[in-house]
């Protein structure tokens, strides 16, 4: 399923290093979301964009996290410097909907599994 | 209190059993409701939307009670392939959604 492409799929890095996660969504989406999933906290919304503009970043845990969406086909999530507690699966997702509700669905990418040593 | 709460599980059932999952949400302004399925080490995928009138898709039935702020998912005649984590999702418009922590189902032969 090439709907949302994320890279890398796996990342192992050492504490203090910069990590950049990438997302290439399919065209025609309304919004783009970055989530983080851990066993302890489940699936958490970090930030979402509407028309490439960040709308709500209240879920971003700290200033070490930043996200950009320079155009409708690309977004990045950066962690600098990374810490072991950042280890998680990071998902990028897009929202597709139509008026009337015939389509109202979030499509997730396969995720990036990040391990910070 | 979490905005979306689900049965903690895990649920371990034999093939052919009927199993029900419950979910409650706290934001009365919530507009849309869904069940997503997540297989081990995979991304969540939409299973079905949930409507006030209730809806059915094969062996799966979803119900919504807005007055009680309660959502349910019923799986009949469970299959081995139904083993997964089921996430209750509540939306507030523009796609912004809150996911429950999920309930894990294991169907055994």
């Amino acid at each position: 399923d090439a709907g949302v492409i994320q890279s890398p799929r796996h990342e192992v890095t050492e504490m203090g290093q910069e990590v950049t996660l990438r997302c290439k969504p399919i065209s025609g989406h309304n919004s783009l979301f970055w989530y983080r999933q851990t066993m302890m906290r489940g699936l958490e919304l970090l930030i979402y964009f509407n028309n490439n503009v960040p709308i709500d970043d209240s879920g971003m845990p700290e200033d070490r996290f930043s996200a950009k969406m320079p155009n409708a086909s690309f977004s990045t999530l950066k962690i600098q410097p990374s810490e072991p507690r950042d280890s998680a699966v990071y998902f990028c997702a897009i929202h597709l909907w139509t008026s009337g509700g015939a389509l109202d669905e979030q499509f997730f990418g396969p995720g990036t599994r990040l391990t910070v040593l | 209190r979490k905005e979306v709460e689900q049965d903690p599980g895990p649920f371990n059932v034999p093939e052919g059993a009927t199993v029900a999952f419950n979910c409650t949400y706290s934001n009365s302004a919530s507009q849309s409701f869904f069940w997503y399925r997540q297989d081990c080490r995979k991304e969540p995928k939409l299973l079905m939307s949930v409507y006030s009138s209730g809806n059915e898709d094969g062996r799966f039935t979803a119900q919504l009670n807005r007055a009680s702020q309660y959502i349910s998912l019923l799986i009949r005649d469970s299959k081995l392939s139904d083993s997964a984590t089921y996430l209750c999702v509540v939306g507030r418009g523009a796609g912004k959604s809150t996911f429950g922590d999920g309930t894990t189902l294991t169907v055994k032969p």
Side-chain angles (χ1 to χ4, degrees), chain A residues 35-105:
Chain A
Y35 292 91
R36 175 173 70 177
Q37 187 173 40
T38 61
M39 288 291 290
M40 292 296 293
R41 293 191 298 270
L43 195 65
E44 303 172 281
L45 176 64
L46 300 177
I47 184 171
Y48 83 95
F49 295 83
N50 203 16
N51 294 323
N52 312 335
V53 176
I55 301 301
D56 184 350
D57 65 354
S58 59
M60 297 285 262
E62 312 171 20
D63 291 345
R64 297 185 297 106
F65 285 69
S66 62
K68 293 182 180 180
M69 191 166 184
N71 57 64
S73 334
F74 187 65
S75 178
T76 59
L77 178 68
K78 183 178 292 187
I79 308 172
Q80 181 184 21
S82 58
E83 296 183 3
R85 59 194 168 117
D86 301 331
S87 298
V89 180
Y90 291 80
F91 288 106
C92 174
I94 53 120
H95 181 230
L96 293 177
W97 68 274
T98 56
S99 59
L103 176 63
D104 183 1
E105 182 174 347

Side-chain angles (χ1 to χ4, degrees), chain B:
Chain B
R1 185 188 170 202
K2 291 190 173 184
E3 189 173 334
V4 178
E5 297 208 56
Q6 296 186 236
D7 284 347
F11 286 67
N12 298 301
V13 303
E15 269 187 295
T18 295
V19 61
F21 302 141
N22 303 316
C23 171
T24 58
Y25 61 96
S26 59
N27 189 341
S28 59
S30 300
Q31 301 175 13
S32 51
F33 309 89
F34 310 88
W35 284 100
Y36 275 68
R37 171 189 169 133
Q38 186 173 22
D39 292 297
C40 187
R41 302 180 76 85
K42 297 284 189 178
E43 71 274 21
K45 291 185 178 180
L46 178 66
L47 177 65
M48 57 196 306
S49 302
V50 189
Y51 306 113
S52 296
S53 55
N55 48 303
E56 187 174 309
D57 183 3
R59 298 181 292 108
F60 297 82
T61 301
Q63 295 276 355
L64 166 66
N65 185 321
R66 283 187 182 268
S68 302
Q69 296 181 196
Y70 171 90
I71 306 161
S72 66
L73 176 68
L74 183 75
I75 305 175
R76 291 181 300 277
D77 188 23
S78 53
K79 311 290 185 190
L80 296 176
S81 57
D82 294 334
S83 298
T85 297
Y86 292 83
L87 303 166
C88 176
V89 183
V90 174
R92 284 169 280 154
K96 186 175 179 183
S97 302
T98 302
F99 284 71
D101 288 344
T103 302
T104 299
L105 171 67
T106 301
V107 181
K108 299 186 175 181

Side-chain angles (χ1 to χ4, degrees), chain A residues 24-42:
Chain A
K24 293 184 68 176
I26 56 175
S27 61
H29 60 82
N30 306 99
S31 305
L32 182 140
F33 304 81
W34 281 100
Y35 292 91
R36 175 173 70 177
Q37 187 173 40
T38 61
M39 288 291 290
M40 292 296 293
R41 293 191 298 270

